[in-house]
Amino acid sequence: MTPRSLRVVLGGLTALGLLAAAGCGSNPDAPDAAGATGLVLADAYEDPSLNPIAGYSETGYSKIYDGLVRAAPYQAGVLPAIEPALAAQLPQASADAREWTVSLRTGVTFHDGSAFDADDVVATYRAVLDPVSGSPLASSYEMLQAVDKVDASTVRFTLKYSYAPFDRRLMLGIVPAESVATPGPADASPLNEKPVGTGPYKLESWRKGSEMVLTANPDHWGGEPAVKKLTIILAPDDNTRTQRTAAGEFDGSWLPPKLAATFADRDGYEVVAHPSADFRAVSLPTGHPVTGDPAIRLALNHAVDRQAMVDNILAGYGKPAYTPIPEALGTFHNPQATFAYDPAKAGQILDAAGWVPGPDGIRVKGGQRAEFTLMYFPNETLRRDLSLAFTSDAKKIGIEVNLEGVDRPKFRPRIPQDAGLLGGGDNPYDPDTQVYALLHSTYAQYDANNPFRNPGAYRNDAVDAALDLGRRSIDPAERTRAYQDLQAELIKAPSAVMLAFLDHVYVVRTDGAFTGTVPVLEPHAHGTSWGPWWNVRDWKPRR
């Protein structure tokens, strides 16, 4: 069985059952991870805060909070859909998309028993916009001029300019108005560790750096979940997490593709993959004498063998990436915007630009050696392996890349100077939310609070114009053309070296008591908040 013959969810035509078909045996040596009422899951990451104002669950992945809307099951080839959550119906836009009205569900309560209404929605979004909060999400809502209560079950958002995809910005978890009644820094709020939401699960306990336990909310507006308890174990090291999964300690886990593939023929386990807009790319700081050179940037894009990376490093779970807009965004994707894998052409580009091979084969121009540092997170095997492959491909055209494993706190301040193996696709439910902050020159100035926005300090007037048109136009055809043109421009003047869009890969035990997941397009964030468990609120006992 090859990895691509495993169950991979790349379309929305058939619901995905978590459990294997009848006849698939269980692992007789694996202990029962959770029993008949709960799940024990392993994750590689831990959110530092559980406060939406501080940036938690911007795309509605939290099981503790509900947003006004949430992601809907994925269907291939069309723009990802959303569906109402705390909204009673999808938000309604005015003709010019500058005013959005949201009717709210009634009878909803927070975990503390207080009633949910329009005051809570208004307070949540105003707290994000309040400079005193210092919310890292404030710039994501820079188009929002005001949010007001119309009545107890209706809220009106007024925008500074027309913004067609504003409904995609309404996934943020809603907090009680009382919790943000006193202005103050979001990073000092009690919500960071003691969240109060309306979601299908409540926080029972949290031992930071170790374990989080969530219990079902019996009063959830969607009904009490059948899965009564979720235990999330933090296991950051990929190899350790793989070993513990194989030992039967977990009902499921996110794993890098090559490690997940080792479970393909293991009795009692199944490999599940979800499509995503999550990409991996090499940032190219424009201020660096090598990575800032247009010829170097263009040559590197022709030098990398993306398909080999997908086949060998991702074990087939992904697609080559050339621009940040994936096929998953439907007609916004430009299939013509690609780079041919052509090392000879890459060499010609460098020759023409005056980068000539030195005695050791590394190119030199005006005394400047074609050499730079590439940082990656050392605990992530996938980023490490992609970095190694990129380094090898670059060396073949005479560019030396020095790899350095750098932990996140030290990685961030070095982004303006050194290349990094980065991920993206934080909010992939519209091309604007996928690429605006990544590419627009507004974000070219380094921001320590948001260091991954435009990490290469890329500036391109044509790209800015396309981004602004796509953001402000309410004509679907004009928006499509804007993003198609943007991708064509990125092929001429790349901002980075895009490598691949990942399928997020998970391993699950096949002897569990519940089933019911369906495919969803995942953002950059992954792990147990997404994967087969993204809609665990709707799972039912296996009969």
Side-chain angles (χ1 to χ4, degrees), residues 282-284 288-304 342-343 345-351 353-358 360-365 368-374 387-403 419 497:
V282 175
S283 66
L284 300 174
H288 190 281
V290 176
T291 59
D293 186 294
I296 293 283
R297 302 161 76 87
L298 191 58
L300 284 170
N301 271 283
H302 284 288
V304 293
D342 192 340
K345 181 176 182 177
Q348 293 166 4
I349 292 170
L350 294 174
D351 289 339
W355 289 95
V356 297
D360 60 354
I362 302 304
R363 293 176 181 266
V364 179
K365 178 181 179 180
Q368 174 65 56
R369 183 178 167 86
E371 181 178 9
F372 62 92
T373 295
L374 173 60
S387 297
L388 286 166
F390 174 82
T391 298
S392 176
D393 287 343
K395 189 69 171 286
K396 293 173 184 176
I397 62 167
I399 298 175
E400 181 141 49
V401 180
N402 301 310
L403 291 185
V497 181

Side-chain angles (χ1 to χ4, degrees), residues 400-411:
E400 181 141 49
V401 180
N402 301 310
L403 291 185
E404 183 177 352
V406 181
D407 291 329
R408 282 173 169 79
K410 294 181 179 179
F411 191 109

Side-chain angles (χ1 to χ4, degrees), residues 114-134:
S114 61
F116 160 79
D117 63 17
D119 289 327
D120 305 300
V121 178
V122 170
T124 297
Y125 281 92
R126 286 183 177 176
V128 169
L129 295 179
D130 187 351
V132 175
S133 296

Side-chain angles (χ1 to χ4, degrees), residues 42-62:
D43 215 332
Y45 308 99
E46 179 179 66
D47 285 293
S49 164
L50 302 179
N51 178 6
I53 314 304
Y56 173 63
S57 185
E58 181 182 6
T59 50
Y61 61 79
S62 171

